[in-house]
Amino acid sequence: MPDTVLYRLHFRSPLHIGERGVGLEETRTSVPADTLFSALCTAWRWLYGADSLQAELLAPFADGQSPPFLLSSGFPFAGEMLFFPKPIVSLSPSKEEYPKKLRAVQYWSQSVFRRWLQGQLTDSDYESLAGEEEPLFWVLEEERKVLDPFRDEETGSVRLWKEHVVPRVTLDRLTSASQIWFFGQVAFRKGAGLWCAIRYHDARLRSRVEACLRLLGDSGLGGERGAGFGLFEVSVLEGFSLPEVEGAKYMVTLSPCCPDGKQWSALLDARCGYDLLPRRGWVGSPEGGNLRRKTVWMLREGSVLHRVDGTVVGRLVNVKPDPCPHDVWRYGYAFPLGVSG
C-alpha cells in the first residue's frame, strides 16, 4: 500500500498563482498539482543537478506505467480543518443536480467530502447552507465553531484569505514613459494556508522531495518570487488518512489530469462529469526562461471518472515550444479517491 503524506504550507508572504485573465491581476486561491510539480522540478535541479532531475525524477514519470509518486493540488486549510474541491457531479440518486445555493461553493470540508464519498449526504446536510450568504465553503453544523476565528467581523462569513489587486508602474526603456498595470495577490490569515498530499510509490524519494519543499518555502512559490512572494513554512500532518471508499466503481481526482487517448473510453460513462482546464505558462529552466509552454487541456480537480483497477490515469505531457533546446514536461496524473455511486 503506498504511503500518503499530507503537507501544510503556512505562507509567510502573499502568493500569486496565475489565473486566466487579461494580465497579472487574476490570482488563484489554490495551487494546481502541475504548478507544484514544476516548482519541485526546479528545486530538484538546484539541489541535485539537471542530470539527476532527468534520470531520477522525470524518467520514471515519463514511462507512464510506474510514477514514483502522485501529487495532489494545494487546497485551503483552516486550523485542523482541511478543505476539498467540490466534485463536478453529485452521483447521488436523490440529488441529480446540486441545490442552487451550493453551485457557488468552491470547497467542502473533510466531513462533507467524506459523507459524499460514502454516499451518505442527507437533506439536512444540504440545509446547513441555509444560514450562509454566498458561501465559499460548505461545512456541517457541528463544524462551524472550528471556523469562528476565521469569520469576517462585518459579514460573519468565513474568510481564510484576503485578495488584493495592487497597482504597479513600469517605465519604457527608450522613452521612460510610465505605464500602470495591476497585480493580484492573496494573503492567507494566520492559522490558514494550503495543504497538499503526496502518495509515494517509491518511498526512497520522500526525503528528497521534502528537501525540495523546504527549499521552495525559502525561495518562493508562484509569481513575483524575486519580490519575496510565495514564501512558506512546511509542516507534515502526521496520522491523517484521506477519506476514500475501497473498491469503488468511481473516483474523484484531487489534481488536474490528462488521460491519454486509450484511457478516455474506459473513464467515462453517463454518470461521470468533468470540466476542462487550459494549462499554459512559461518555461522555468535557464535555457528556455523566455519561452511559453504549449497549451494543454486537462480535466479539472473534482472531476468524477469511472475507475479502472490497476490503471494509473494520466501522464506527463511534453509541452516543449519549438525553439526550446530541451523537453518541457507538464504533470498530468490523476490523484484518485474512490467514491461510491
Side-chain angles (χ1 to χ4, degrees):
M1 187 72 177
D3 293 330
T4 301
V5 183
L6 271 68
Y7 300 95
R8 286 189 291 193
L9 313 184
H10 308 262
F11 285 91
R12 296 182 277 125
S13 63
L15 174 69
H16 173 87
I17 299 294
E19 177 64 299
R20 188 179 185 184
V22 176
L24 296 174
E25 67 272 24
E26 300 290 338
T27 182
R28 280 174 163 264
T29 53
S30 62
V31 183
D34 54 326
T35 299
L36 273 175
F37 185 80
S38 296
L40 285 173
C41 288
T42 298
W44 190 289
R45 177 170 172 161
W46 288 340
L47 286 174
Y48 311 116
D51 291 341
S52 172
L53 172 64
Q54 182 60 42
E56 299 182 77
L57 185 62
L58 291 176
F61 277 103
D63 76 4
Q65 302 298 318
S66 55
F69 61 82
L70 296 178
L71 174 66
S72 81
S73 296
F75 303 110
F77 73 84
E80 298 300 318
M81 184 178 293
L82 307 182
F83 289 96
F84 292 76
K86 182 178 72 174
I88 303 297
V89 292
S90 73
L91 274 184
S92 168
S94 61
K95 296 281 183 184
E96 293 186 2
E97 291 188 0
Y98 292 131
K100 185 176 180 180
K101 197 160 191 176
L102 189 52
R103 295 176 193 172
V105 171
Q106 296 181 16
Y107 300 107
W108 292 7
S109 75
Q110 59 206 51
S111 296
V112 174
F113 196 75
R114 179 180 289 106
R115 290 192 190 187
W116 174 79
L117 289 174
Q118 298 170 345
Q120 295 177 346
L121 281 177
T122 64
D123 288 343
S124 62
D125 293 330
Y126 285 95
E127 290 168 2
S128 64
L129 282 163
E132 296 283 347
E133 293 293 332
E134 298 182 356
L136 288 177
F137 306 95
W138 183 11
V139 298
L140 298 179
E141 201 64 42
E142 57 267 28
E143 296 176 307
R144 290 174 180 267
K145 279 192 174 180
V146 178
L147 295 178
D148 283 348
F150 301 96
R151 290 191 179 276
D152 186 272
E153 292 182 357
E154 295 182 358
T155 65
S157 299
V158 175
R159 290 288 181 265
L160 305 187
W161 57 76
K162 288 189 177 180
E163 293 182 68
H164 302 279
V165 178
V166 296
R168 299 278 183 86
V169 174
T170 185
L171 297 178
D172 187 282
R173 292 181 179 178
L174 297 179
T175 66
S176 296
S178 62
Q179 184 175 4
I180 192 169
W181 56 285
F182 294 91
F183 182 79
Q185 62 187 51
V186 55
F188 287 91
R189 299 181 64 169
K190 186 177 181 181
L194 299 177
W195 69 272
C196 66
I198 299 180
R199 184 173 291 167
Y200 291 99
H201 297 275
D202 184 350
R204 295 172 299 178
L205 291 186
R206 177 175 171 177
S207 60
R208 286 188 165 194
V209 170
E210 291 183 350
C212 290
L213 281 174
R214 291 193 294 273
L215 178 57
L216 288 175
D218 291 333
S219 59
L221 177 67
E224 292 290 290
R225 296 185 298 276
F229 278 57
L231 304 178
F232 62 86
E233 294 178 358
V234 60
S235 63
V236 180
L237 189 56
E238 303 285 359
F240 185 91
S241 298
L242 287 173
E244 183 169 18
V245 176
E246 297 291 338
K249 288 176 57 180
Y250 294 91
M251 68 177 189
V252 59
T253 178
L254 297 186
S255 63
C257 68
C258 187
D260 63 27
K262 297 178 182 177
Q263 294 177 337
W264 270 105
S265 59
L267 293 174
L268 297 176
D269 65 19
R271 303 187 64 195
C272 295
Y274 62 87
D275 279 344
L276 290 174
L277 181 72
R279 302 299 296 143
R280 306 182 175 93
W282 296 89
V283 176
S285 72
E287 298 85 354
N290 61 340
L291 301 173
R292 277 192 174 276
R293 308 179 189 196
K294 289 182 178 178
T295 299
V296 59
W297 288 81
M298 294 192 180
L299 308 185
R300 185 189 294 276
E301 304 99 324
S303 294
V304 179
L305 306 170
H306 201 274
R307 193 166 199 173
V308 183
D309 289 340
T311 299
V312 179
V313 176
R315 57 192 165 120
L316 281 193
V317 184
N318 193 346
V319 291
K320 171 185 174 302
D322 292 335
C324 190
H326 58 76
D327 289 335
V328 181
W329 297 102
R330 173 75 81 177
Y331 181 87
Y333 283 98
F335 192 103
L337 295 180
V339 51
S340 64

